[in-house]
Amino acid sequence: MESLHPRVRLLWTGRTALGSLVLVGLVVVADRLVLSLPVELAVAGWVILAALGAAHAVFAHRIWRFELQDDALFLVRGVVTRTDTSVPYVRVQHVDTTRGPVERTAGLASVVIYTAGSRGADITIPGLRPERATELRERLRDLAGESEATDAV
């Protein structure tokens, strides 16, 4: 077995002669395909994927605005398809501030507003400074409480 390729030695099971031969054949074929792929092509593929991911992130969040109006939170977002959302404060169930690992690294936070409704009824406002996110969460909580007292159904 000393003359076998190191990858074949790692996968050598010794169960049956036929199974071992098939395994050796598959590893050798796969090894030749991977080795025949130029490194530049693999690197170019990764660069293209990273560029597409960055472009998607930029275009997905290029237009993202929100405004606290008298009776509702108003959001505008999207590039190709623009979405305008109005969330009446009376529909707000609760509000969270979240900071995932990427947001913590970037020094950002998001506010998630959960609303009464049957379909994935939550709105996320990303990319806020942590202090601003906390301030917005508290303001939305107060506005929801005030509107519930006056506008409840």
Side-chain angles (χ1 to χ4, degrees):
M1 269 203 324
E2 288 301 315
S3 64
L4 291 177
H5 192 279
R7 291 183 186 158
V8 174
R9 268 186 268 141
L10 286 174
L11 296 173
W12 188 265
T13 60
R15 290 184 181 163
T16 65
L18 181 60
S20 297
L21 287 175
V22 169
L23 180 61
V24 168
L26 289 173
V27 169
V28 169
V29 168
D31 190 46
R32 291 191 189 271
L33 287 175
V34 170
L35 289 178
S36 67
L37 184 67
V39 173
E40 293 83 9
L41 185 61
V43 170
W46 281 109
V47 168
I48 289 170
L49 285 174
L52 288 174
H56 177 266
V58 167
F59 283 119
H61 297 289
R62 187 171 191 158
I63 295 175
W64 187 272
R65 312 260 188 278
F66 72 92
E67 179 184 355
L68 298 177
Q69 297 178 341
D70 292 337
D71 60 346
L73 169 67
F74 187 72
L75 294 111
V76 177
R77 59 192 181 278
V79 174
V80 176
T81 302
R82 175 113 7 125
T83 304
D84 296 349
T85 305
S86 180
V87 181
Y89 297 131
V90 72
R91 304 288 290 172
V92 173
Q93 296 292 312
H94 64 280
V95 184
D96 290 340
T97 303
T98 62
R99 296 187 73 200
V102 173
E103 288 176 313
R104 283 193 305 268
T105 303
L108 298 173
S110 295
V111 173
V112 183
I113 302 124
Y114 298 91
T115 60
S118 59
R119 63 171 180 91
D122 58 318
I123 307 289
T124 302
I125 302 174
L128 301 171
R129 291 184 329 274
E131 303 81 32
R132 175 68 175 127
T134 301
E135 175 186 301
L136 180 60
R137 182 194 68 214
E138 296 301 317
R139 180 73 179 130
L140 285 168
R141 186 197 63 189
D142 293 342
L143 289 168
E146 290 170 10
S147 68
E148 189 173 288
T150 60
D151 296 335
V153 178

